[in-house]
Amino acid sequence: MDLGRISAPRRPIRTRLLTSAALAVSLSAALIAFPATASAATVTIAALQGTKRVSPYNGQEVTVSGIVTAIRSTGSSRGYWIQDAVGDGNPATSEAVFAYTGSTTPSTKVGNKVTVKGKVAEFYPGGSAEGGQSVTQLTQPEITSTASTGNPLPTAFTMNAASIPDAYAPTAGGGSIEGLTLAPATYALDLYESLEGMRVQVSGARVVGASNQYNELFVTAEPAENPSPRGGTVYGSYASQNVGRIKIETLLASPFPVANVGDALSGTTAGPLDYDNFGGYGIQATTLGTLTPGGLAPETTRAQTAGELAVATYNVENLDPTDPQAKFDRLAAGIVGNLATPDIVALEEVQDDNGATNNSVVAADQTYAKLISAITAAGGPAYAYRQINPVDDQDGGEPGGNIRVGFLYNPARVGFTDRPGGASTTAVSVVNNAGTAALSVSPGRINPTNAAWNSSRKPLAGEFTFQGKTVFVIANHFTSKGGDQPLHSRFQPPTRSSETQRGQQAAQVNTFVKQLLAVQSSARVVVLGDLNDFEFSGTMSALASGGVLTPLAGSLPAGERYTYVYQGNSQALDHILTSPALASSEYDIVHINAEFADQASDHDPQVVRLTP
């Protein structure tokens, strides 16, 4: 994945401004507050929270009372949650609030009934510009009295299919929903906001997003919601966001579970409901269910027959020679074993020979050589490679890394037609050889100076031969989703601003394919790679426009259409499309990475077996 994958995006090298368990953005950047009133009004927590996302007491000093339900005692975002055990009976108002103590460890204890004075503020994790929700909290909190200790904690709200609405979010025509009154019985985002800071629980929750380096995982509170056969939750349309996804973090000192998709947290997981921009609403667990393995295993596809041409795509996640040998070995094992040594492999995110070192190096010879060596050591063929170096620091991704797309191919099975002249800024064109299409340069980049490719990888076209037949393969890595507002944004529906450039990129590739087919309608064309967009997106429609390409994701059952897992949604970002002459094919997404805590890459590869 490239740096823009995480929407504050995916989706990396991943920069994290805040997790709700540890790190915090400075209050001056993320807290919106107003001048304090002369005296602190004594109010209920429900009144403080109000029936909208922003507190009616925002910026004012208040005094509230409640029972301490949980304490965050580490990191720079310390504090404690207090909850009113009685409440006001209004389901739209939260009965809890977080008291933020910064880097100071709270002096109170769970079970204490306390009275707290502090200033109300709205905190936007990641910064308000990212488009996420705010967290209503007390800043500079002072416990003025402790009425009693050892009190039982308020009963946790049970999150399940019966309690979570089917609709995800209200709409404001793309504007902010902060001014709307919460409707927790109608919208899942409103329900979660109405429970902000309150004790909630899930039972026997299935893991739909593997645990990561930040000690997070995602579960679903609605197990029947768009399930994949392997235990995930499939993101199948913009209107079906999978409302039951909940992030799990922990306030416990015990080790965080190492979980894969399809595992379960047996028993009860409970704690205050929190929010951050890197996943939305989630439980800060004070009780964590027991990890029950689901037995998920990596998939293996079948080998191609002698008469089949196997073409694969694999995002190898910022691969460069400074990566551990173990990464190269695992990628190689996946190509040889799980992908059954395809004849052609389009690679994405191949970095230059010194990786993230930001100097003038753009060559990637050592990166390819190290991967090919690992493949042969794993029992695979001696692949050859073709690629074109980018202009330094012009193709996006990790600064200094110079990621690019390229081809591996097995010369014992396929040939590559080399035509000199392909360079970083040289555009490949279609040549008409008496009705037969050919490339002017091979390999060659498609219109690399066009604005559609600004700060993004340029597509690479190559002319291959298989058993006497020409096959054109176009490798792609479209621009990332960086800058898009998250599904859980306070702007609804969220703006997907990155789609504009991907639509332009898709149009460029579509035009090139049309030029090939205008010369030779029977031309065999494979377009593939990390397109950073979904099978139902406008990007895919633009790429396939005019019927010149068929996206192969649609040939799979809906539950199999994913190559990447993001915030508990299994989704398709990588694709293979073929021209009409390649209608005879067998397509397989090979799930070996995205569902697992231990990954060789964050993407799953895929392969198509063609009978040209």
Side-chain angles (χ1 to χ4, degrees), residues 369-443:
K370 192 170 182 178
L371 179 58
I372 291 169
S373 177
I375 290 171
T376 57
Y383 281 106
Y385 75 91
R386 294 293 186 272
Q387 62 108 60
I388 293 175
N389 292 330
V391 177
D392 190 32
D393 288 335
Q394 295 301 303
D395 281 16
E398 183 179 21
N402 289 310
I403 57 174
R404 82 288 309 274
V405 298
F407 299 117
L408 298 182
Y409 69 94
N410 181 0
R413 291 266 300 165
V414 297
F416 189 87
T417 304
D418 286 297
R419 291 198 179 91
S424 303
T425 58
T426 301
V428 62
S429 60
V430 177
V431 177
N432 187 339
N433 290 333
T436 299
L439 299 181
S440 60
V441 295
S442 178

Side-chain angles (χ1 to χ4, degrees), residues 37 95 142 171 258 270 303 315 402 427 453 600:
T37 55
E95 308 294 346
E142 175 189 353
T171 183
V258 179
N315 183 319
N402 289 310
W453 309 110

Side-chain angles (χ1 to χ4, degrees), residues 233-244:
T233 301
V234 177
Y235 182 49
S237 76
Y238 293 127
S240 181
Q241 301 92 337
N242 294 319
V243 300

Side-chain angles (χ1 to χ4, degrees), residues 27-94:
L27 287 176
S28 60
L31 282 170
I32 294 180
F34 300 92
T37 55
S39 60
T42 299
V43 300
T44 65
I45 295 177
L48 181 159
Q49 287 281 7
T51 59
K52 299 179 180 180
R53 285 173 164 78
V54 174
S55 170
Y57 290 89
N58 188 25
Q60 300 181 37
E61 285 193 347
V62 298
T63 298
V64 296
S65 298
I67 296 172
V68 178
T69 61
I71 295 174
R72 181 187 290 143
S73 57
T74 60
S76 58
S77 183
R78 305 181 192 191
Y80 53 94
W81 287 266
I82 58 174
Q83 182 169 338
D84 188 330
V86 178
D88 67 348
N90 185 347
T93 57
S94 171

